[in-house]
Each structure stands twice: as structure tokens, then as C-alpha cells.
Amino acid sequence: MDKEIRVFCPATIANISCGFDVLGVALDNVGDEMVVRKTRKKGITITKLEGQDLPLETHKNVAGVAGLALLSASDYDGGFEIEIYKKIKAGSGIGSSAASSAGAVWAMNKLLGEPFSNLDLVKFAMKGEELASGVPHADNVAPAIYGGFTLVRSYDPLDIIKINTPSELYATVIHPQIEVKTSDSRKILKTTISLADGIKQWGNVGGLIAGLYTEDYNLIGRSLTDHIVEPIRSILIPAFDTVKSASIQAGALGCGISGSGPSIFALCKGKSSAIKVAEAMQKVYTKVGITYDIHVSSINLEGVKKMNP
Ligand code: ADP
């Protein structure tokens, strides 16, 4: 059995429009790398962290906290060292914390001979998400671990469903360079919704799932609407409405807030459409003078994966 593994930890889009807290998807072209190594020393030690200014202390880093959750459920009597190479910016809304939580527990499970199921790994990784945002949400860590689209059907008991990914689906994500903390963007949400909004929302969730399974791109587009969270949260994101209308005009199936923002995502049919949408989004931020990162990506069907050392 390997003593050390290098893994790719994908960025993820959560809160896919109508699917607040329940739907997420993993990306291919943006993600962190991690090296995880078995040690005789018990516990988790983060020995290296490059690319972002984040805490190295085990209890303050999501990789450490998620890893400790796995260790406490395991009969392994050693520990692990972790090196983290961050490419995803913290607070960007594309699952920076989830990539580290999911990557750590996936790699440890691999090194231990896979004693845990994907569902177990999601539960461990959720401890990391709790550290990052105060809420143990699964909508980023589930797609990071299972790959593709995932639905968190229920939190109690935790029930994760992997959803079909249409073959031509691409994602475009633009990250305006402002930081929105998940904990802050949760604070502005209302805790109740009207029945009328609920009806519209679950109609769209059902439509989106049906569209993903039948690979009906038009239905996917019609269903990518959020009547509950986006109208409130979008006020935290500069030029959100303009970016959204520009991307739809450029051919996006739909467009919404990625995670808790400030990243904005669009789902597109085909790579050339996703590139056109990226150009349209960039134009908006260039015009208003906001710097950004932009990603065009196919959907990552495997989730966290082993890389060559
Ligand atoms: P994102 O939605 O992009 O994951 P969050 O705001 O949810 O962003 O999470 C980032 C928070 O998690 C930051 O406060 C950061 O300090 C903390 N954090 C701790 N460890 C890590 C890590 N390994 N990677 C990313 N963020 C981490």
C-alpha cells in the first residue's frame, strides 16, 4: 500500500441556482493539489501550505479538522502529514475550503485501503466546512468527493445522490476580486420563505434534475432560476445583473451565484459557447474596472483524484 499520495482537489460550484444548499458540481480545470503522507506520529500535521495565506495549525485548517474526524473514526494508530498547494482562492465561492477538506479525507482513505465509503468521507469533510463557515454544509464537499453533479437529498440522515452529467455541459465561472465570506453572506438570508416562492423553487429543482438526466439543455436552462436566495445575495456582488444578462445573451443556458459568491457561474452547451460567455462576462467587469479570474471548465466526473507524484 502507498505511504504517500498526490491528489487533485477540484473546485466546485454549489447552490446551483434553485438548488441552494443541496445541488453542487465539480470542475475539471480549477483545483488545488495536496500531498498526504502516512506517519508513525499520531494526529495530523500540515507541513506546507503554498499559494494562500491560511493557517497551518491543524485545528484551524479545514484539512486538519476533516482529517481528525476521519482519524477518530478509524482504528489506524498512526497519523498523516499534509502539504497543501492552493490554487483556489479562499472566499471565492468555488469551494476553496471544500477542496482541502475533501482532498484530505479522500487521500487518507486511499492510503488506509479505503475503509470508508464516499458518504462517510462527506461526513468527515463536512467538519471542515463547519470550521470554514459555521455550518456543516455538504453541497461543495459532496461533488468534490463523488464527482459530477450531486444532490444532498437529506441532511438528517445524510443522503447524497449522484446525478447524471450531460456530455456537452461546460461551466464558465468569473471571480471578481472582492472577498465575500460565507458566514457573512449567510447572515443576510431570510429564514422563512413564502409558499408561492417554494412552489416555484421546487418546480425548478425537479426540472433541473430531469433536464440533467434526459440531457435536455433547454429544460436545464429554463430551470436555472432561483426565486429565493439570488435576489437577496446578488446585492453583495458588483454588477451581478449585468453579468447575468450578458452571459444569457451570449448563449449561456443559465447563470447564477456560485456558492455564496462573489463568483458567478454559467452553465453552457459546449466549449465554444462557454468561451463566448466568458468573453461577455469579462467585458462587463473590464468596463466597470473590476479585476477578475475567469475559468472555463468541463465537468469533473470523478471528483478528487490521484495525480502522478
Ligand atoms: P469558499 O466558499 O471558497 O470555500 P469560505 O469562505 O467558505 O470560502 O472558506 C474559506 C474560509 O475557510 C476562510 O476563512 C479560511 O481561512 C478558512 N480555511 C481554513 N483552512 C482552509 C483551507 N485549507 N483552504 C481554504 N480555506 C481554509
Side-chain angles (χ1 to χ4, degrees):
M1 215 178 291
D2 289 342
K3 280 192 126 174
E4 176 178 312
I5 189 171
R6 176 179 281 267
V7 292
F8 172 77
C9 319
T12 44
I13 300 168
N15 296 339
I16 302 175
S17 294
C18 48
F20 180 69
D21 263 5
V22 297
L23 278 173
V25 65
L27 302 179
D28 260 331
N29 296 1
V30 49
D32 296 341
E33 288 179 23
M34 264 175 152
V35 175
V36 178
R37 197 173 298 119
K38 275 171 137 178
T39 55
R40 283 225 190 112
K41 188 179 152 204
K42 291 186 200 301
I44 311 272
T45 315
I46 298 168
T47 53
K48 218 186 232 186
L49 206 163
E50 289 181 3
Q52 288 274 287
D53 186 15
L54 290 166
L56 274 169
E57 296 97 312
T58 306
H59 284 93
K60 290 187 183 162
N61 194 297
V62 298
V65 169
L68 287 175
L70 180 146
L71 271 186
S72 69
S74 160
D75 53 13
Y76 167 57
D77 68 350
F80 294 96
E81 275 177 10
I82 304 179
E83 296 173 11
I84 308 175
Y85 302 92
K86 294 297 294 182
K87 304 228 169 93
I88 314 170
K89 291 182 181 152
S92 56
I94 50 170
S96 169
S97 50
S100 291
S101 305
V105 297
W106 189 93
M108 289 173 195
N109 191 43
K110 213 54 184 174
L111 293 175
L112 295 176
E114 301 186 61
F116 296 110
S117 67
N118 278 346
L119 190 67
D120 294 330
L121 297 183
V122 169
K123 287 181 187 165
F124 303 141
M126 284 167 71
K127 296 284 181 199
E129 292 295 76
E130 188 169 20
L131 173 73
S133 67
V135 183
H137 62 103
D139 51 343
N140 286 104
V141 291
I145 287 168
Y146 284 72
F149 282 85
T150 54
L151 169 74
V152 185
R153 192 205 56 82
S154 151
Y155 273 92
D156 189 17
L158 188 66
D159 189 5
I160 311 279
I161 320 289
K162 185 165 176 171
I163 307 292
N164 180 63
T165 298
S167 55
E168 292 179 73
L169 208 63
Y170 266 76
T172 304
V173 179
I174 192 156
H175 173 210
Q177 303 293 292
I178 58 156
E179 191 175 344
V180 176
K181 284 225 180 290
T182 305
S183 47
D184 291 341
S185 62
R186 273 194 182 260
K187 272 185 215 145
I188 66 166
L189 295 180
K190 290 192 231 159
T191 51
T192 54
I193 61 166
S194 71
L195 182 60
D197 281 344
I199 291 167
K200 288 190 261 181
Q201 198 84 349
W202 55 67
N204 282 321
V205 175
L208 180 53
I209 300 291
L212 290 169
Y213 270 104
T214 55
E215 312 216 354
D216 180 339
Y217 294 90
N218 195 297
L219 175 57
I220 293 170
R222 295 202 305 282
S223 308
L224 283 170
T225 304
D226 174 6
H227 293 280
I228 294 171
V229 176
E230 185 180 295
I232 299 171
R233 273 201 175 157
S234 56
I235 56 173
L236 296 175
I237 303 173
F240 175 80
D241 292 337
T242 321
V243 172
K244 180 167 176 162
S245 55
S247 69
I248 302 282
Q249 241 171 32
L253 301 169
C255 174
I257 302 169
S258 179
S260 53
S263 287
I264 303 172
F265 79 93
L267 292 183
C268 304
K269 184 181 179 188
K271 190 174 183 179
S272 61
S273 170
I275 292 171
K276 269 193 204 140
V277 168
E279 287 164 359
M281 287 175 157
Q282 290 177 80
K283 253 191 205 158
V284 176
Y285 278 144
T286 304
K287 206 167 164 192
V288 293
I290 291 173
T291 51
Y292 55 81
D293 289 332
I294 186 102
H295 310 286
V296 170
S297 179
S298 45
I299 306 304
N300 174 338
L301 301 177
E302 299 161 84
V304 182
K305 56 186 159 194
K306 189 176 174 189
M307 300 178 74
N308 290 330

